[in-house]
Amino acid sequence: MSGLRAVITGTGSYAPSRIMTNDDFAAYLETNDTWIRERTGIRERRIAAEGEATSDLAVEAANKALESAGLAPSDIDGILLATATPDILFPSTACLVQARLGATRAFAFDLNAVCSGFVYAMTVAKSLVETGAAARLLVIGSEVMSRSLDWSDRGTAILFGDGAGAVVVEASTVVSRGLGSFRLGADGRHWEMIHTPGGGSRRTEEPATIRMKGGETFKMAVRQLQESVLEVLKLEGISPADISLLVPHQANIRIIDALAARLGLAPERIMVNIDRYGNTSAASIPVALDEAVRGGRVQEGDRILLTAFGAGVTWGSGVLTWEAHRQKRSRM
Ligand code: COA
């Protein structure tokens, strides 16, 4: 062990200004507000403006995270951007963000684990920081899901939204807590469960819009999230009772409720904002975390549990202990 500990020192988030309500879907699809609210927990979602892309959202969120960490872009050693909806196929959206921020010293790459992307990226960030490979990282989840939707498919179009969240992860020699155990998983045999047929090198004639087996995805998500959470709690040597706040990927309120019931967590210990954003894929956890921090729901010493499941299929969970890091930088 290097003696270095990875800690979050700033958070930020951004969502496009345009709100699309359930009634907006009901105006042209065979669906209604009651069905969507009861089956998913979603009331509205944000939709990127024409010409607004994943990097635009990411830059806004990253600037807020840098500001809350008290850092300048030039302080950053690396940018990890979790996204399944890059601006263009290549170069990476992270490189576009690096240029826009003026993070001239930073390496930059995208990471695609779809809805699990942010937990994957945090796991990589922890490793980079704790091995001494980088001291200050921006970890971003940013998605414009609205460009990957089949707007005529009521089973998927109503679920997703656009947004971005970011955190600054720094190395500390004095903080003993910060990012704890993280564990990831994948089972590529189920790649067809949620996928976009086109958009890559395999089937260029197919549309690059989401196809999903909703019922199967729902059941697997509930089972896999529970397993993943229990695995990481065991690794950390704690029980659900030790968790102050669960910040889960926001895919469906019924998936979150099933997980909370299994863990015995009361509603005040679960961060939920799916009602306002829908499923923003890799952005959902950092947006929810930022809202929890800014909303005063996170206190010094709180144990926070992150967990996600997504296309791949992929999953991952992580435990972190919150500290008022910024004031401690002088001692880091
Ligand atoms: N409005 C009204 N009816 C709808 C609808 C909508 N927006 N979407 C689907 N339905 C209909 C279906 O067509 C189906 O009708 P049928 O029985 O006549 O065929 C009926 O509702 C029930 O469909 P079902 O798929 O069983 O509903 P559900 O309770 O599973 O809810 C989802 C559908 C998509 C909300 C749910 O399966 C889900 O959230 N799955 C997981 C999605 C997810 O998490 N994806 C991302 C993972 S990161």
Side-chain angles (χ1 to χ4, degrees), residues 31 35 39-40 115 154 212 214-215 249 251-252 254-255 279 309:
T31 189
W35 193 95
R39 306 308 289 163
T40 72
C115 297
R154 65 178 182 173
M212 185 180 73
H249 170 51
N252 186 315
R254 292 184 293 135
I255 295 176
N279 180 348
F309 175 87

Side-chain angles (χ1 to χ4, degrees), residues 5-215:
R5 196 73 199 239
V7 293
I8 292 178
T9 59
T11 66
S13 61
Y14 173 79
S17 56
R18 184 180 154 211
I19 293 172
M20 187 161 179
T21 65
N22 294 342
D23 284 338
D24 293 333
F25 282 101
Y28 80 96
L29 270 181
E30 208 174 305
T31 189
N32 59 76
D33 175 55
T34 309
W35 193 95
I36 299 173
R37 270 191 293 108
E38 287 177 356
R39 306 308 289 163
T40 72
I42 301 165
R43 289 173 183 276
E44 59 189 40
R45 67 290 288 145
R46 302 298 184 93
I47 303 293
E50 211 180 312
E52 195 174 28
T54 294
S55 66
D56 301 318
L57 277 52
V59 165
E60 297 285 342
N63 272 325
K64 288 183 189 163
L66 285 169
E67 193 188 338
S68 79
L71 292 178
S74 55
D75 294 323
I76 295 298
D77 299 324
I79 299 172
L80 286 64
L81 177 71
T83 189
T85 52
D87 285 24
I88 50 179
L89 264 185
F90 69 86
S92 71
T93 304
C95 281
L96 309 179
V97 170
Q98 187 246 27
R100 291 266 300 283
L101 289 174
T104 45
R105 293 179 43 251
F107 61 81
F109 65 96
D110 287 0
L111 185 158
N112 181 357
V114 200
C115 297
S116 308
F118 185 75
V119 180
Y120 267 61
M122 287 297 279
T123 310
V124 176
K126 173 180 160 74
S127 307
L128 288 170
V129 161
E130 294 188 355
T131 55
R136 286 174 176 164
L137 297 172
L138 256 175
V139 185
I140 309 169
S142 184
E143 304 275 17
V144 176
M145 299 302 286
S146 60
R147 302 257 151 69
S148 299
L149 293 179
D150 173 352
W151 289 90
S152 66
D153 176 11
R154 65 178 182 173
T156 52
I158 54 117
L159 292 175
F160 296 93
D162 304 335
V167 300
V168 174
V169 173
E170 293 191 59
S172 171
T173 51
V174 298
V175 170
S176 58
R177 301 186 284 191
L179 304 192
S181 304
F182 275 71
R183 272 296 177 279
L184 307 176
D187 188 346
R189 290 173 301 178
H190 301 291
W191 68 271
E192 277 182 300
M193 200 173 274
I194 322 166
H195 74 290
T196 59
S201 62
R202 174 68 65 193
R203 297 185 192 137
T204 48
E205 75 287 357
E206 296 277 344
T209 50
I210 297 169
R211 299 276 170 280
M212 185 180 73
K213 297 172 185 163

